[in-house]
Amino acid sequence: MDNLISLPKAAVAALSSCKSEKKGPGIASEFESGQLLRALPVAVYATDACGRITFYNEAAAALWGCRPELGKDEWCGSWRLLWPDGTPMPHSECPMAVALREGRALTGAEAMAERPDGKRIPFLAYPTPLFDEAGALAGAVNTLIDFASRKEDELAAESLAAVVESSADAILGLDLGGRITSWNPAAARLYGYAWEEIVGKPVTVLIPSDRQDEEQQILDCIRRGESVDHYETIRRRKDGVLVDVSLTVSPIKDRRGQIVGASKTARDISERKQAEEQQRLLLREMNHRIKNLFTLASSLITLSTRFAATPRELAEAMSGRLVALARAHDLTLPDLNGSELAADRATTLPALVQTLVAPYFLHDQSAIRMSGPELAIKGKAAVALAMLLHELATNAAKFGALSCEAGHVDISWQICEDELRMKWQERGGPPIDVEPDTEGFGSLLTKLAATGRLGGKISRDWGREGLIVNLAMPLEKLAE
Amino acid sequence: MLARGRAILVVEDETLIRRTIADYLRDAGYTVVESASAAEAIARFKSLQQVDAVFTDVQLPGGMDGLMLALWIRDHHPSVPVLVTSGKGDVAVTSGLIAKEAFFAKPYKPDAVVKRIRSLVGK
């Protein structure tokens, strides 16, 4: 169907006025036949002075999604019209109707066509009234510019901008010369520079002096079209503080695919780095402690061997001592969740006594009586005191108050100025008629612990009622 | 002839560990002086007429560790060999402060320490 019924003569005349300026043959006839208008990729249509559509090209039909009836449909060939905000627009108020009614051209009037399938096409209208030689309104020609794709691009750009603006990661744009071209709020937070302070500056202002060569290498990658993923490095804030970052850098290409710059995303990994360092320190400290523990266990075995009469006696004694050692370490292991990862955790004297001695009173908790104030004891002092308490309890269980049902032990302590005074008093055990041999390893161990690591004094009184052990230790030794 | 009289200074704050290596050295015929800190070691060092070798832990209580003690001995008694032990790897060796053959990683074999001391100061 030929959709060119009749172009207004004025329009044809106007268009044909180009004839004398064109050199090619047949141009005027092309205009007159409407072939040229029909071939245009831009939507064009014309009306008579009353607004009845007299011509439209294929691009207009495509935009509308329908074909108006020539000579009958008025103002605009679209199925429905809408204002830019989506409210219905009567055809009689469309830009073409306004142009015809007011006899003036409109430039870029915005409206939206709704196709029969419901799809909406935003467009800009350029209706121009046409007048005959006498100056009377002869009709109008309208050009419609579909800007749906441009609108989509704008929306996509706005959406992308919002993502960049709200990103928790610093995102900056660079040109190929390494100058900063864009800068999001997260970048401002990370590096301390406001947008106006930094855009246009070389990115090297963010790079510590000993890492300046990194940027050239990154830009070289970008020029080759390569990306840099999760490159962990250090950058310098405005206040000079160095910050650990993970960089991801990608080339930015223009519509023709030419690399015109780079986008750089920087994630602050300081906390992760600190956590890794803390973990490394903890592992090193644990490694050290384990080696020390093995050395201590080795020493215990070596020394115990010298005193044990039989392998069985050695095994029993060592088993108990190693358990005591383990319990003391349990109490003083660093807090794995805390900030003082490599530091000793202090235990308290009541906790230590309870942990070391309680296993000997499983059947009668009343057999142990503890009294004394809370007192913090750290690492090696706790281990030494644990060994000492273990030996006293073991001895009581074998030969003393805990070897019979009626026996009990009073453990009391008090702080006198800068000294801890502790008393271990056994009662109700077998009567002691002769002072036992105190040359065993247990005795040596208690003496070594009390006078060595604890830097104190120990005395034993073998009364008939039971053993009394008095200990005196400087408080400063318990905190080491 | 027994070497009792060769004096070995053992510096270790863990009493049982110190006692163990001291016993080994005594059994090997050496006179052993025990110290629990670097300050105590220096005091003992100064009070003795002769120290033939030192065996020290790196981690010691107080402001002076075993490596600082080794440097002090190198400065003040350069002829006295110093053997070092630690559970913290061989930083002492990699840093160049201590010769590899003078370092014993914890847990060490007391026999190996005695053997090394014997090679340095004789029986």
Side-chain angles (χ1 to χ4, degrees):
Chain A
M1 170 184 153
D2 192 348
N3 53 20
L4 182 67
I5 288 185
S6 63
L7 269 174
K9 287 180 180 174
V12 173
L15 293 168
S16 300
S17 66
C18 304
K19 178 180 158 185
S20 59
E21 295 167 17
K22 303 293 179 186
K23 300 295 182 187
I27 295 289
S29 63
E30 281 176 359
F31 279 130
E32 286 169 4
S33 66
Q35 290 300 310
L36 186 61
L37 287 176
R38 214 159 44 167
L40 281 176
V42 180
V44 176
Y45 73 98
T47 67
D48 61 19
C50 297
R52 288 187 294 266
I53 297 171
T54 56
F55 164 82
Y56 63 88
N57 68 0
E58 286 303 310
L63 187 150
W64 293 324
C66 60
R67 293 180 180 277
E69 191 173 339
L70 295 175
K72 185 177 179 187
D73 289 329
E74 295 177 324
W75 314 119
C76 180
S78 58
W79 186 63
R80 287 180 62 194
L81 276 171
L82 301 156
W83 293 101
D85 65 1
T87 55
M89 174 193 284
H91 276 55
S92 59
E93 292 178 26
C94 74
M96 181 65 135
V98 172
L100 282 167
R101 193 160 53 239
E102 299 179 3
R104 64 180 179 89
L106 273 64
T107 305
E110 194 172 341
M112 199 151 35
E114 185 174 298
R115 291 176 178 168
D117 63 4
K119 187 171 181 183
R120 294 180 175 186
I121 311 295
F123 65 85
L124 297 174
Y126 296 83
T128 304
L130 302 169
F131 301 93
D132 61 18
E133 289 172 356
L137 182 67
V141 63
N142 197 0
T143 306
L144 307 179
I145 308 296
D146 171 1
F147 68 104
S149 58
R150 201 194 312 169
K151 200 87 174 172
E152 283 168 6
D153 286 348
E154 282 174 12
L155 286 172
E158 283 172 13
S159 172
L160 185 61
V163 169
V164 171
E165 284 292 298
S166 60
S167 169
D169 291 334
I171 302 174
L172 47 146
L174 301 175
D175 64 21
L176 287 178
R179 288 193 177 275
I180 296 168
T181 55
S182 60
W183 186 255
N184 76 342
R189 288 194 295 275
L190 176 62
Y191 293 115
Y193 291 96
W195 190 93
E196 58 274 15
E197 287 179 299
I198 196 73
V199 169
K201 299 263 174 63
V203 73
T204 48
V205 299
L206 306 174
I207 304 175
S209 54
D210 59 337
R211 291 175 182 265
Q212 290 282 326
D213 57 331
E214 282 181 0
E215 192 57 24
Q216 195 52 51
Q217 292 172 22
I218 289 172
L219 286 174
D220 287 346
C221 284
I222 293 301
R223 288 191 190 99
R224 291 195 299 268
E226 297 167 5
S227 295
V228 177
D229 290 330
H230 306 302
Y231 176 65
E232 294 189 3
T233 183
I234 294 171
R235 290 293 178 259
R236 187 177 55 209
R237 290 170 46 88
K238 183 184 177 183
D239 58 12
V241 172
L242 300 178
V243 56
D244 289 297
V245 293
S246 170
L247 298 179
T248 296
V249 192
S250 306
I252 297 175
K253 295 178 181 176
D254 63 14
R255 287 181 185 276
R256 292 173 298 160
Q258 295 290 315
I259 296 166
V260 293
S263 74
K264 186 179 279 192
T265 305
R267 175 166 293 182
D268 184 351
I269 56 169
S270 304
E271 284 187 15
R272 198 195 81 202
K273 284 282 182 186
Q274 283 168 7
E276 284 174 358
E277 175 65 10
Q278 215 163 14
Q279 195 171 35
R280 198 179 60 78
L281 285 174
L282 175 68
L283 286 173
R284 201 169 63 176
E285 181 62 21
M286 288 295 106
N287 185 36
H288 174 225
R289 281 169 188 246
I290 288 166
K291 286 177 180 172
N292 268 351
L293 205 54
F294 274 116
T295 309
L296 188 59
S298 170
S299 293
L300 270 174
I301 293 168
T302 303
L303 293 173
S304 299
T305 306
R306 296 180 175 221
F307 292 85
T310 65
R312 183 186 179 88
E313 187 184 320
L314 173 66
E316 283 177 359
M318 273 312 301
S319 171
R321 284 166 189 147
L322 290 177
V323 168
L325 203 56
R327 286 184 181 141
H329 274 271
D330 268 350
L331 287 173
T332 56
L333 266 181
D335 179 2
L336 299 184
N337 297 313
S339 56
E340 299 174 57
L341 282 178
D344 283 325
R345 182 162 53 99
T347 185
T348 64
L349 186 53
L352 191 67
V353 173
Q354 178 72 26
T355 305
L356 269 298
V357 183
Y360 295 91
F361 301 89
L362 285 178
H363 303 296
D364 183 6
Q365 291 296 318
S366 66
I368 177 174
R369 298 171 194 159
M370 292 191 296
S371 63
E374 288 278 324
L375 180 67
I377 303 180
K378 291 189 80 176
K380 288 183 176 176
V383 171
L385 197 52
M387 301 307 294
L388 190 155
L389 289 167
H390 166 74
E391 294 303 327
L392 291 177
T394 305
N395 191 62
K398 280 183 182 172
F399 314 110
L402 303 181
S403 64
C404 60
E405 285 188 8
H408 61 85
V409 177
D410 288 324
I411 307 166
S412 59
W413 61 90
Q414 55 185 318
I415 295 166
C416 300
E417 297 182 350
D418 55 355
E419 198 172 69
L420 170 68
R421 290 183 188 167
M422 197 169 178
K423 189 175 185 180
W424 173 284
Q425 187 168 16
E426 297 183 26
R427 288 286 182 268
I432 299 173
D433 297 320
V434 182
E435 187 172 319
D437 174 20
T438 56
E439 295 306 310
F441 181 58
S443 298
L444 175 64
L445 196 55
T446 52
K447 188 179 171 187
L448 286 175
T451 60
R453 162 62 60 192
L454 297 171
K457 297 174 191 166
I458 183 169
S459 67
R460 287 183 178 81
D461 178 12
W462 298 96
R464 186 174 167 71
E465 289 291 308
L467 172 67
I468 298 174
V469 178
N470 281 295
L471 287 157
M473 296 160 272
L475 290 178
E476 63 176 15
K477 289 284 185 183
L478 301 177
E480 281 181 354
Chain B
M1 174 183 164
L2 272 179
R4 193 168 293 282
R6 292 283 195 194
I8 313 299
L9 182 58
V10 175
V11 192
E12 165 68 68
D13 63 330
E14 193 59 67
T15 318
L16 289 175
I17 298 173
R18 187 175 71 235
R19 174 67 184 258
T20 304
I21 188 63
D23 279 0
Y24 266 85
L25 287 165
R26 287 190 184 101
D27 289 350
Y30 295 103
T31 296
V32 179
V33 181
E34 299 180 37
S35 295
S37 69
E40 201 179 298
I42 289 173
R44 298 240 182 204
F45 210 100
K46 286 177 176 173
S47 70
L48 289 173
Q49 284 191 330
Q50 181 68 37
V51 171
D52 295 295
V54 176
F55 180 67
T56 181
D57 189 13
V58 170
Q59 203 175 31
L60 294 171
M64 193 175 192
D65 68 12
L67 293 179
M68 292 164 78
L69 174 65
L71 290 175
W72 183 90
I73 294 168
R74 188 185 294 176
D75 285 348
H76 293 83
H77 301 273
S79 63
V80 176
V82 180
L83 304 183
V84 168
T85 181
S86 175
K88 278 194 174 173
D90 57 353
V91 176
V93 175
T94 54
S95 65
L97 284 172
I98 301 296
K100 191 177 177 184
E101 57 273 19
F103 181 77
F104 292 85
K106 281 186 176 180
Y108 54 81
K109 291 175 74 174
D111 284 340
V113 178
V114 172
K115 188 177 173 185
R116 182 69 191 139
I117 286 177
R118 189 180 292 133
S119 75
L120 290 168
V121 301
K123 271 195 141 188

